[in-house]
Amino acid sequence: MTIEIKSSDDIDNMRLVGRLAAEQLEMVEEFVKPGVSTEKLNQICHDYTIEIQNAIPAPLNYRGFPKSICTSVNHVVCHGIPNEKKILKDGDIINIDITLKKNGFHGDTSKTFLVGNTSKLATRLTEVCQESLYLGIKAVRPGGYVGDIGAVIQKHVERNRFSVVREYCGHGIGRVFHDEPQILHYGKEGTGPELRPGMVFTIEPMVNAGKPNVKLLPDNWTVVTKDHKLTAQWEHTILVTENGYEILTWRKDDTIERCN
């Protein structure tokens, strides 16, 4: 397994595309409300990518994916396909996953939004998932291991009586959309590849309110919880630095420091 170490020029490009992806998530938030279709959200993001950011929506036509963003509502774990018929309702939760390509480099980030007045369970699930992401990020340091990230995420999630999806994981990213290393959101400290400065990857825990089991729908993209219970996901693109980490997709609403 070869893990790319980014050059300083590569990192500058990753910072740029990461910032654009973050800005897009900030932009779309005002449109996430009851009555909007997931297709409308897709069109807003697509137009913003092309017309304002002069970038490319990386998911569009990637391995046949038909849309520019992923919209995963309630029990949809990941890779939800936007469509006109899926209308957000009061109390829903939705993960919007944005990946942009600019100057040949990818920036990948997602957030679970609360739509209107959500239940205590939905709110807590979303909070715990975000907290687990932050704990995973804080485990990133040169000389550490990929397993350190998964271990701290799994511990926090299970302590709160939720479960971690195991079939899908974070990934290396750069010129390639999905690259090595794989970043599991469970595991043991001190295992897996060693973290080295210049490595860039996503951390994107998927946390279920019920059991961790998932299934793939016949469209070969949409992944749902087998028990149809709620699920949440948060994602950032992370650079391993000489001293710790830098969040390349950091947003103004993040409550974790950008760098450490």
Side-chain angles (χ1 to χ4, degrees):
M1 177 177 61
T2 302
I3 300 173
E4 183 182 17
I5 301 299
K6 302 294 190 293
S7 69
S8 58
D9 285 345
D10 292 344
I11 291 169
D12 285 343
N13 278 301
M14 293 294 293
R15 286 190 177 112
L16 170 60
V17 71
R19 184 173 71 250
L20 293 178
E23 287 174 356
Q24 188 164 138
L25 263 188
E26 292 174 337
M27 176 278 299
V28 77
E29 181 164 12
E30 69 175 292
F31 302 100
V32 180
K33 54 189 176 183
V36 71
S37 71
T38 54
E39 173 57 32
K40 178 65 174 178
L41 297 175
N42 176 77
Q43 193 61 53
I44 289 168
C45 288
H46 178 87
D47 292 347
Y48 191 80
T49 302
I50 303 298
E51 298 171 8
I52 305 299
Q53 298 183 310
N54 193 27
I56 297 169
L60 184 61
N61 299 320
Y62 176 76
R63 297 180 179 176
F65 190 80
K67 299 294 180 177
S68 295
I69 63 173
C70 298
T71 52
S72 302
V73 181
N74 293 335
H75 69 288
V76 177
V77 176
C78 59
H79 306 155
I81 302 173
N83 66 86
E84 288 284 2
K85 294 182 180 179
K86 188 59 183 178
I87 307 296
L88 296 184
K89 303 185 302 296
D90 186 65
D92 283 344
I93 60 174
I94 177 174
N95 176 269
I96 299 180
D97 194 339
I98 305 286
T99 309
L100 302 183
K101 188 175 182 181
K102 178 91 170 179
N103 300 332
F105 290 84
H106 295 80
D108 193 0
T109 188
S110 81
K111 171 181 176 177
T112 295
F113 294 87
L114 306 177
V115 183
N117 299 301
T118 52
S119 67
K120 289 182 179 179
L121 173 63
T123 302
R124 183 60 183 149
L125 175 69
T126 302
E127 290 172 348
V128 168
C129 187
Q130 183 183 29
E131 291 164 1
S132 75
L133 169 63
Y134 286 169
L135 289 169
I137 291 171
K138 289 179 178 179
V140 174
R141 64 190 184 285
Y145 294 88
V146 166
D148 301 345
I149 300 169
V152 71
I153 289 172
Q154 181 182 9
K155 184 176 181 180
H156 183 69
V157 169
E158 293 180 354
R159 183 191 299 124
N160 283 277
R161 299 184 179 181
F162 297 130
S163 63
V164 177
V165 172
R166 298 186 176 224
E167 287 86 346
Y168 299 89
C169 61
H171 52 87
I173 190 169
R175 290 182 179 86
V176 177
F177 192 163
H178 294 93
D179 206 353
E180 297 293 343
Q182 293 188 24
I183 308 297
L184 303 181
H185 304 117
Y186 62 94
K188 295 182 179 180
E189 293 182 3
T191 63
E194 183 178 351
L195 301 177
R196 292 181 291 155
M199 291 171 61
V200 180
F201 48 78
T202 70
I203 304 175
E204 47 184 296
M206 292 156 240
V207 177
N208 294 350
K211 295 180 179 180
N213 311 82
V214 302
K215 67 177 179 179
L216 180 66
L217 296 188
D219 62 21
N220 287 320
W221 281 108
T222 308
V223 179
V224 300
T225 56
K226 267 194 173 179
D227 57 15
H228 276 227
K229 292 188 177 180
L230 290 175
T231 183
Q233 182 188 17
W234 293 73
E235 175 183 17
H236 272 310
T237 298
I238 308 299
L239 165 69
V240 183
T241 67
E242 295 290 340
N243 301 315
Y245 65 81
E246 180 179 342
I247 304 174
L248 301 181
T249 48
W250 188 88
R251 299 183 311 277
K252 295 173 184 175
D253 63 351
D254 272 306
T255 56
I256 184 175
E257 59 274 16
R258 185 196 303 265
C259 303
N260 183 40

